[in-house]
Amino acid sequence: MMSSSSRPILEVSGLNKWFGAMHALRDVDLTVGAGERIVVCGPSGSGKSTMVRCINALERYQKGLIRLEGEAINPDCDSVLGARRAIGMVFQAFNLFPHLSILDNITLGPRKLLRLSRPDAESAAMILLSQVRMEDQARKMPSQLSGGQQQRAAIARALAMNPKLMLFDEPTSALDPEMVKEVLDVMTALAEAGTTMICVTHEMGFAKAVADRIVFMDQGKIVETADPTAFFAGDCCDRARSFVGTTTSGQA
Amino acid sequence: MTAVVNSSRVERSPAIAQLRRRLAWARANLFARPIDVLLTSTIAAAAVALLWAIVPWAFIDAVWVGENRAACRPDAACWAFIVNRGGQFLYGFYPQPERWRVNAVFLIFAVSVFLLLRRDTPGKRVVAFFLLLVFPILGYVLLHGGVAGLSRVTTDKWGGLSLTLLLGVAGIVVSFPIAIVLALGRQSEMPLFRWASIAYIEICRGLPLIAVLFMARILLPYAFPVGSEFDPLALAVTGIILFESAYLAEVFRGGFQAIPKGQAEAAAAIGFGYWRTAIYVTLPQMLRVVVPGVVNNAIALVKNTTLVVILGLFEVLNIVAAGAADPDWLGLHAEGYVFVGLVFWGLCFAMSRYSQSLERELKAAERS
Ligand SMILES: Nc1ncnc2c1ncn2[C@@H]1O[C@H](COP(=O)(O)OP(=O)(O)OP(=O)(O)O)[C@@H](O)[C@H]1O
Ligand SMILES: [Mg+2]
């Protein structure tokens, strides 16, 4: 019992990634245990998206190892589709399928990959939609919804595959300010329900309330890993401190 | 009493208001300045003169019934030629009692296209499968016969407008899946597949159809043993498919490029591989985008089918020209070409209107 619950869901070790000559990730190490909630922050271009995309095997990497429950993840290995299926991803731009209704967006994966029948997939999807408070929008098309609603639907779509780990890449950055809260509320509820998640965000209020650990990245490196209390107490390196200073003053 | 008066007043006043609006519109747009008056009256005079020349020839003095040239008037159109030969213009030399087979093929095609493009058809995938894979074979068997009690009608008997349409339909339907494969190949990460697709597209797209047809006629016999016989219709269809699939592939490539990269990434994030992503996410979105491009190609292709005259086929233009060489109707080329022109214009106009309404409907579907 003890050993299985302490086995990490995700292990990233010595991860290096280049875009041509540009060294985007430098020796990134990160271990995420079951039920852990990690918030990743850092200045623009620091490699946050790149790290998350490597974890989900959307990008190739040149050095290091990423393991999901012990299994190596790499875009070129056969198990990559299974790994992606086991990891839910929420994008900044929502990326809902515009030709499908919200319900079909959510049931597509379960029906085609998990081989659920349509009624089964739809009843499961309706439960997820009620979790993201969208049950009355099931039959609508994505373009009929607000950004906040689309992002909540996208969260439901990722959850429908029963992922072991959820990745969020700046899920609220493309939203109008009044819709940010409805998405953060859904994410907070997920966190409280024990979902393992890595969340790239600049929402420091969310980080403070939800994160078990905050990871601060700069120039492709993880320069700081701290729990929220220590992080916001400025109990860390100068760069992180000035970053926290700019984001919180920017919000005030 | 009062009620009647009231209602007639209510009925009349909008009509008057509308008339006033039209007059005001004309004054503002057609007769505002002296130069507008001049332009408007010049164009109107030209239109009247044109009608003055055409209407008596085409309608007032025209002859509609008759058995041969003797019934015609020298100064007016002789539509009796078209009426008399109507069956041949539509079906070529296809034997009269078997013409229902031609009608059946086009009816099946029209119904399946309609079902496929209609919004709420259940089982669209079955219809698409039927149209792309079953229909070409079924259509050929029906037209050619020789099995299942259908008498055999060799392809040299096929002709007229039905042959024109057949070439157009075969060109689009058969090219469609080939073009999808080529468009996927062009973007594929497998080098051999990509190079082959690019080479094919660039070669076939750079050749005029007329050159492809000439090559089919003149070069192909050299490539095969002396005495090999080629069915001219098969050659024409092959040439058209070679040509059309390259063009459609480029239309499809444009459609794929119009899809944001995030779509394929979202599909990958769910765990979809290459084929599932293509089938459920990128292809359906691409097909919505390319409707106008495909219709444009279909319009160009229908007009291009007239080139199969090179292979000695009697598509509608050729059969009308042949009709005008018949001693009974000698020299009625003007009527023949006007008729063919109207037929082609009607076909192409109908296609373009249909594609416009289809585009509107697809846009509406994404919003509701
Ligand atoms: N496809 C790519 N090709 C080349 N360079 C890239 C590519 N994607 C990202 N980069 C570069 O890699 C670096 C890290 O980018 P990344 O998107 O991971 O940053 P980020 O921390 O997510 O920034 P932001 O906060 O702006 O989203 C940047 O310098 C960026 O220019
Ligand atoms: Mg980013």
Side-chain angles (χ1 to χ4, degrees), chain A residues 45 47-50 92 169-170 200:
Chain A
K48 310 179 293 294
S49 297
T50 308
Q92 182 172 346
D169 188 3
E170 307 205 30
V200 177

Side-chain angles (χ1 to χ4, degrees), chain A residues 53 56 58 60 81 84-85 87 89 91 95-99 108-109 112-113 115 141 143-144 157 161, chain B residues 125 189 261-263 265-274 276 280-281 284-285 288 365-368:
Chain A
R53 292 166 56 83
N56 204 13
L58 290 175
R60 293 199 165 77
L81 296 182
R84 285 200 191 125
R85 195 188 300 186
I87 298 176
M89 173 104 177
F91 299 86
N95 295 350
L96 289 176
F97 305 131
H99 61 296
L108 186 65
K112 303 301 172 193
L113 287 175
R115 303 251 163 242
M141 301 302 281
S143 59
Q144 294 174 295
R157 179 177 68 179
M161 297 301 291
Chain B
R125 217 164 292 155
E189 286 175 11
K261 215 168 128 242
Q263 290 293 311
E265 288 186 346
I270 293 175
F272 278 7
Y274 181 82
R276 282 195 178 88
Y280 299 113
V281 178
Q285 294 188 52
R288 280 169 172 70
E366 234 155 71
R367 267 181 272 112
S368 67

Side-chain angles (χ1 to χ4, degrees), chain A residues 17-20 22-25 40-53 59 92 169-170 173 200 202 217 220, chain B residues 261:
Chain A
K17 153 100 193 156
W18 284 265
F19 289 109
M22 148 82 204
H23 201 166
L25 293 176
V40 181
C41 59
S44 180
S46 56
K48 310 179 293 294
S49 297
T50 308
M51 178 178 80
V52 165
R53 292 166 56 83
E59 296 278 1
Q92 182 172 346
D169 188 3
E170 307 205 30
S173 298
V200 177
H202 294 149
M217 292 185 72
Chain B
K261 215 168 128 242

